[in-house]
Amino acid sequence: MLDSSDYLKAAQAVATCVGAEGSASDPRDFQTIAVIGAGTMGTGIALAMVNAGLAVTLIDAAQAGLDKAIGIATKTLARSVERGQISEDEARARVSRIKVSTEIKDIASADAIVEAVWERMDLKQSIFRDIDKFAKPGALLGTNTSTLDINEIAAVTSRPEDVVGLHFFSPAHVMKLLEVVRGDKTSQACLADAVALGLRIGKVPVVVGVCDGFVGNRIFAAREHEAARLLLEGALPQQVDKVLVEFGFPMGSFVLQDMSGGIELIWRMNQARGKTDVLVDKLAALGRFGQKAGRGYYAYGEDGRTPLPDPEVELLINEASRESGIARRQIDDAEIVERLIYPMINEGAKILEEGIADRASDIDVIWSLGYGWPRAKAGPMRYADTIGLGKIRDALQRLAVDHGSRFSPSALLTRLAETNGTFTADAGVA
């Protein structure tokens, strides 16, 4: 089992070794940060910065959004005072370090810029054209994208070597994980500075490469795809979620989707891409957008927070199965564990094969700090080592026969299983 000191040591090791041109032992002296976008993520990022003693210019096109952000920051820091974590004077000092502006030109004096606008490539590229125009030479240019191609964002600037992904996790002032995404042209100096900035604000930075979803969300997508498929084949949300909680996660897939607005997000993304999802479309048509709407995969009681199994959802799932031509059947908990957890491990192996992550422990840190992987199970890759890669390979081969090639074990997993190797000892760089 890893503890917080292990994570910090790993992060410091990353910061020490990433830069030939930049060094974590002699990092850039960051003083001023500009954050573009005053939504939930931008506000959280601004708080993370001022909590570490940095000055922030928070920029948004709408003054109302900036006013709301300052209100949220003030209330958040007031709660810290109530808990005895900081004094009232310190809370006021931190709020005073956040300056607001509706003019993007006010990034000009910032040592680093962090873009945190909506997850749309055209919008982010537009913002980065302006960043390129107004940011001072040598400024670190960070994007908080969680899935988009850093290279496409960097390409609209005249200085792609200064562009790096800074994928914060929500709430950004609380969550310790920071995925630092290296683009094809990100310089070693920029990468080292990004890691150093992450350490400065108390994060655990893990360097990853560019792919859809990077490391954390790519593995998460593999799990969620299978969770959705299990519903069509015969499971119900409460069974899937129960299995995940019993495995050790703090919550299951469908409670999480209801909390995070996942139904609406998936529905809108599908609309933008011309895709359909039979069940999500049915939920969206009824306005079942999760906890905020009082109903999603679950119904929510008088407190608006307690998930309750809903007979209407079971009817919708049955309809979606019929329309998809899938005969429903009883699915036992053991099958659910295999179909949710083993594809995560297999996806992690593919990530290592592709060089998106440098080492298996990076994947474990990401999933332990950012996604609630049960601490007693150490992380998906080390967990795989403990139960045996041969067992996982055999199970995936069986699942591939029964359910399709998406379960086919990766080349790395197959090789390690054949040689009695492990991810921890034999995969990735030392």
Side-chain angles (χ1 to χ4, degrees):
M1 183 169 66
L2 302 176
D3 61 28
S4 57
S5 64
D6 293 322
Y7 297 132
L8 185 56
K9 289 174 185 175
Q12 289 169 334
V14 170
T16 301
C17 73
V18 291
E21 303 168 44
S23 168
S25 62
D26 186 22
R28 183 187 306 194
D29 184 19
F30 290 102
Q31 295 295 324
T32 58
I33 311 295
V35 178
I36 301 174
T40 300
M41 285 303 298
T43 303
I45 292 167
L47 272 168
M49 299 293 177
V50 297
N51 286 345
L54 295 163
V56 173
T57 300
L58 182 59
I59 296 171
D60 196 281
Q63 184 63 46
L66 293 167
D67 295 341
K68 181 179 178 181
I70 292 297
I72 291 171
T74 301
K75 289 178 182 178
T76 300
L77 291 167
R79 286 196 292 271
S80 295
V81 173
E82 291 170 3
R83 297 186 188 109
Q85 296 168 329
I86 59 174
S87 68
E88 290 187 7
D89 286 347
E90 178 60 23
R92 283 192 291 269
R94 293 184 187 188
V95 173
S96 73
R97 288 200 290 271
I98 305 176
K99 307 301 182 185
V100 300
S101 174
T102 57
E103 299 290 337
I104 199 166
K105 66 183 181 181
D106 289 336
I107 68 173
S109 63
D111 300 317
I113 295 96
V114 183
E115 165 273 309
V117 302
W118 290 104
E119 192 79 342
R120 276 179 29 211
M121 179 61 76
D122 60 337
L123 177 59
K124 289 182 183 288
Q125 287 180 325
S126 176
I127 294 291
F128 265 79
R129 289 187 183 97
D130 287 337
I131 290 173
D132 191 36
K133 187 185 305 181
F134 294 110
K136 68 183 181 182
L140 185 150
L141 312 182
T143 172
N144 181 55
T145 181
S146 58
T147 59
L148 298 178
D149 189 334
I150 303 296
N151 297 316
E152 290 186 32
I153 295 171
V156 303
T157 75
S158 63
R159 38 179 152 171
E161 68 278 4
D162 293 332
V163 178
V164 65
L166 296 174
H167 179 207
F168 289 83
F169 288 72
S170 186
H173 62 292
V174 174
M175 295 291 282
K176 288 294 187 183
L177 178 63
L178 177 66
E179 278 188 316
V180 177
V181 188
R182 57 174 185 265
D184 290 345
K185 296 185 178 179
T186 304
S187 72
Q188 290 291 86
C190 175
L191 195 62
D193 282 340
V195 171
L197 177 60
L199 290 170
R200 169 80 181 272
I201 62 174
K203 302 303 181 187
V204 177
V206 182
V207 177
V208 302
V210 175
C211 66
D212 188 12
F214 313 130
V215 171
N217 280 342
R218 176 170 163 180
I219 293 174
F220 183 70
R223 190 189 86 179
E224 295 307 278
H225 176 272
E226 204 55 38
R229 178 71 191 190
L230 283 163
L231 293 190
L232 294 179
E233 291 185 20
L236 292 174
Q238 56 268 29
Q239 182 189 10
V240 173
D241 286 353
K242 175 184 73 72
V243 169
L244 286 170
V245 170
E246 289 176 351
F247 185 80
F249 285 99
M251 67 183 68
S253 291
F254 300 106
V255 166
L256 178 59
Q257 284 200 45
D258 277 357
M259 284 186 61
S260 63
I263 294 170
E264 184 174 13
L265 177 63
I266 293 169
W267 178 62
R268 293 193 183 281
M269 286 177 61
N270 286 344
Q271 283 188 317
R273 297 172 181 178
K275 296 174 61 178
T276 60
D277 181 308
V278 177
L279 180 56
V280 168
D281 290 348
K282 289 180 180 295
L283 293 166
L286 295 174
R288 299 190 68 112
F289 289 130
Q291 192 179 99
K292 66 181 181 182
R295 55 186 194 153
Y297 285 102
Y298 295 90
Y300 290 85
E302 292 183 3
D303 64 0
R305 299 177 63 85
T306 303
L308 303 169
D310 191 337
E312 182 178 64
V313 171
E314 186 170 352
L315 290 173
L316 294 174
I317 292 171
N318 287 333
E319 289 176 7
S321 297
R322 285 195 300 272
E323 292 174 19
S324 301
I326 299 171
R328 295 181 66 76
R329 61 183 175 85
Q330 288 293 117
I331 300 177
D332 63 31
D333 291 355
E335 179 181 341
I336 291 174
V337 170
E338 285 190 347
R339 288 180 61 179
L340 295 181
I341 304 302
Y342 289 3
M344 295 173 63
I345 294 165
N346 201 33
E347 200 66 35
K350 294 175 185 176
I351 284 168
L352 289 169
E353 287 174 14
E354 297 166 18
I356 301 300
D358 288 335
R359 53 186 69 77
S361 60
D362 287 351
I363 297 172
D364 288 342
V365 168
I366 287 168
W367 262 82
S368 296
L369 287 184
Y371 294 85
W373 181 272
R375 291 180 64 83
K377 292 184 170 68
M381 310 316 286
R382 190 178 293 186
Y383 172 72
D385 290 343
T386 64
I387 63 176
L389 301 191
K391 177 181 176 180
I392 294 172
R393 175 205 56 196
D394 293 347
L396 287 168
Q397 288 174 336
R398 171 171 43 79
L399 289 167
V401 171
D402 293 342
H403 300 287
S405 61
R406 67 185 182 277
F407 287 102
S408 297
S410 71
L412 175 61
L413 175 55
T414 300
R415 175 174 62 80
L416 292 177
E418 290 173 349
T419 59
N420 293 318
T422 65
F423 291 123
T424 304
D426 303 307
V429 300

